[in-house]
């Protein structure tokens, strides 16, 4: 038989006070309610846990004292859990788990993390890089509190909002002939040595771009990380198509790369923020509000590479 928390509380009040009457006064209920709860607890355990006296006195048996200690621990744990829940809803505490599929996320997430952590010592953050499908699955399973990903096959159970739409651009070595150009068309890339970012959604997106432009790229290399692509371009291996850009032109290898807008512009990729609408944790709200603020400001334009003809 299941025992309610209320019955356990009534049982503890009675055995600790030694009186059904005193327990009923403390709990603001009638004595019969306390007696019924004590009977329910004893019936559930199938043991005599108390000794009753005619004057409505009550005392625990030796077995009852053992059960009382365990019940007290259970009730204390329950109260601590409920208090923690209130804190998580009203204060900036706890662990924030962010799943992201946005290659340039390291260009903007650290600033938000720094602001969050600076004044909130009871907060820690876990950033987990993944793909769009894994990000959504992780959010729905509870592994993530919030996600950033590309708008592709979005789960209906998740609340999504577009943070930014980013058109493609051409990344070239500093010494490349395209480096001095104000823009480049996709048709000019026919036969050009290309390095492509090989990640889910992105790869299909590039294929559709080239097919629509009737361009056959000469793919000399692929890489699964943004910085490997940038470093290969910097070494002159080829050019690449990318979207959001970081602040720096220098690669890990120490070479410089330049971003050249595509004209006409390609269909942009949408970077979306995803979260569960019923998550009341204040830390989640702080993080999502910070992202909205960032991408609503003009500063977000630094992530975009747009031809002057498109402005």
């Amino acid at each position: 038989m299941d025992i309610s928390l209320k019955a356990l509380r009534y049982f503890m009040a009675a055995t600790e006070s030694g009186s059904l009457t005193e327990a009923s006064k403390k709990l603001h209920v009638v004595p019969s309610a306390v007696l019924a709860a004590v009977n329910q607890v004893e019936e559930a355990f199938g043991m005599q846990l108390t000794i009753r006296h005619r004057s409505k006195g009550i005392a625990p048996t030796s077995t009852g004292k053992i059960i009382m200690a365990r019940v007290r621990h259970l009730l204390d744990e329950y109260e601590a859990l409920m208090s923690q829940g209130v804190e998580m809803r009203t204060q900036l505490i706890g662990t924030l788990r962010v799943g992201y599929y946005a290659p340039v996320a390291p260009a903007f997430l650290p600033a938000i993390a720094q602001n969050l952590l600076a004044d909130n010592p009871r907060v820690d953050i876990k950033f987990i890089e993944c793909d769009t499908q894994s990000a959504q699955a992780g959010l729905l399973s509870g592994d993530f509190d919030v996600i950033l990903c590309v708008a592709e096959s979005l789960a209906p159970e998740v609340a999504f909002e577009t943070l930014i739409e980013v058109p493609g651009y051409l990344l070239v070595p500093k010494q490349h002939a395209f480096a001095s150009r104000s823009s480049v068309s996709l048709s000019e890339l026919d036969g050009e040595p290309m390095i492509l970012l090989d990640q889910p959604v992105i790869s299909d997106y590039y294929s559709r771009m080239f097919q629509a432009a009737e361009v056959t790229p000469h793919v000399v290399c692929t890489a699964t990380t943004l910085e490997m692509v940038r470093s290969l371009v910097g070494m002159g291996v080829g050019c690449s198509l990318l979207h959001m850009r970081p602040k720096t032109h220098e690669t890990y290898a120490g070479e410089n790369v330049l971003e050249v807008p595509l004209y006409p512009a390609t269909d942009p990729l949408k970077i979306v923020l995803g979260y569960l609408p019923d998550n009341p944790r204040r830390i989640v709200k702080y993080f999502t509000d910070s992202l909205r603020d960032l991408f609503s400001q003009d500063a977000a334009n630094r992530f975009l590479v747009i031809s002057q003809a498109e402005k």
Side-chain angles (χ1 to χ4, degrees):
M1 181 185 295
D2 292 332
I3 310 174
S4 68
L5 288 171
K6 181 172 73 173
L8 291 174
R9 287 196 184 98
Y10 285 14
F11 170 80
M12 291 299 297
T15 52
E16 288 178 341
S17 66
S19 167
L20 295 176
T21 301
E22 290 302 317
S24 68
K25 291 178 181 178
K26 178 181 178 181
L27 297 168
H28 305 290
V29 297
V30 296
S32 60
V34 179
L35 178 59
V38 172
N39 290 337
Q40 179 187 348
V41 172
E42 288 189 314
E43 183 179 353
F45 281 100
M47 297 181 292
Q48 182 180 356
L49 304 178
T50 62
I51 299 173
R52 324 286 174 85
H53 303 288
R54 290 184 180 180
S55 59
K56 295 187 178 180
I58 185 170
T61 63
S62 58
T63 302
K65 290 179 180 180
I66 296 173
I67 295 298
M68 283 176 65
R70 300 297 296 270
V71 171
R72 169 52 57 204
H73 177 72
L74 173 64
L75 292 176
D76 286 346
E77 286 292 311
Y78 175 77
E79 294 299 333
L81 172 63
M82 297 307 294
S83 296
Q84 185 179 29
V86 171
E87 279 192 321
M88 293 171 71
R89 188 175 68 251
T90 60
Q91 300 180 32
L92 288 171
I93 64 169
T95 298
L96 178 69
R97 297 156 300 176
V98 182
Y100 68 94
Y101 178 52
V104 189
F108 57 84
L109 287 183
I112 294 176
Q114 193 277 333
N115 291 335
L116 176 56
L117 296 172
D119 300 319
N120 301 288
R122 299 174 67 188
V123 169
D124 63 282
I125 307 174
K126 298 185 184 299
F127 290 115
I128 302 96
E129 188 172 7
C130 52
D131 59 51
T132 290
Q133 296 305 317
S134 297
Q136 295 181 79
L139 183 66
L140 292 172
S141 68
D143 291 335
F144 302 143
D145 297 301
V146 63
I147 60 174
L148 289 169
C149 61
V150 177
E152 182 81 12
S153 301
L154 301 181
E157 305 93 329
V158 178
F160 287 103
E161 53 190 85
T162 299
L163 291 174
I164 192 170
E165 295 187 8
V166 283
Y169 66 85
L170 187 69
L171 189 72
V172 300
K174 187 177 181 180
Q175 68 278 10
H176 196 280
F178 289 153
S180 60
R181 298 272 297 274
S182 60
S183 64
V184 176
S185 68
L186 280 177
S187 61
E188 295 179 87
L189 303 183
D190 204 359
E192 183 76 25
M194 297 294 296
I195 303 159
L196 296 184
L197 183 62
D198 185 14
Q199 291 190 354
V201 180
I202 299 291
S203 297
D204 292 340
Y205 174 85
Y206 290 149
S207 296
R208 293 195 299 268
M209 278 177 48
F210 285 125
Q211 289 175 4
E214 298 182 347
V215 170
T216 303
H218 177 205
V219 180
V220 296
C221 199
T222 64
T224 57
T225 65
L226 175 67
E227 193 48 50
M228 180 60 79
V229 169
R230 296 180 76 251
S231 294
L232 288 166
V233 171
M235 295 301 295
V237 175
C239 303
S240 185
L241 290 175
L242 295 173
H243 288 80
M244 297 178 76
R245 63 176 173 186
K247 282 186 175 181
T248 180
H249 292 291
E250 187 173 353
T251 70
Y252 278 4
E255 304 295 333
N256 284 332
V257 290
L258 294 173
E259 302 95 1
V260 182
L262 291 175
Y263 184 79
T266 60
D267 290 337
L269 278 180
K270 292 182 180 180
I271 305 299
V272 298
L273 165 66
Y275 53 91
L276 296 180
D278 58 350
N279 190 333
R281 294 177 64 202
R282 189 179 173 200
I283 190 173
V284 174
K285 185 177 186 303
Y286 181 100
F287 184 82
T288 54
D289 285 348
S290 297
L291 277 172
R292 293 186 191 102
D293 290 344
L294 171 64
F295 286 101
S296 66
Q297 299 171 2
D298 291 339
N301 291 333
R302 70 176 177 82
F303 300 119
L304 307 180
V305 181
I306 303 174
S307 166
Q308 291 295 322
E310 296 283 351
K311 293 182 179 181

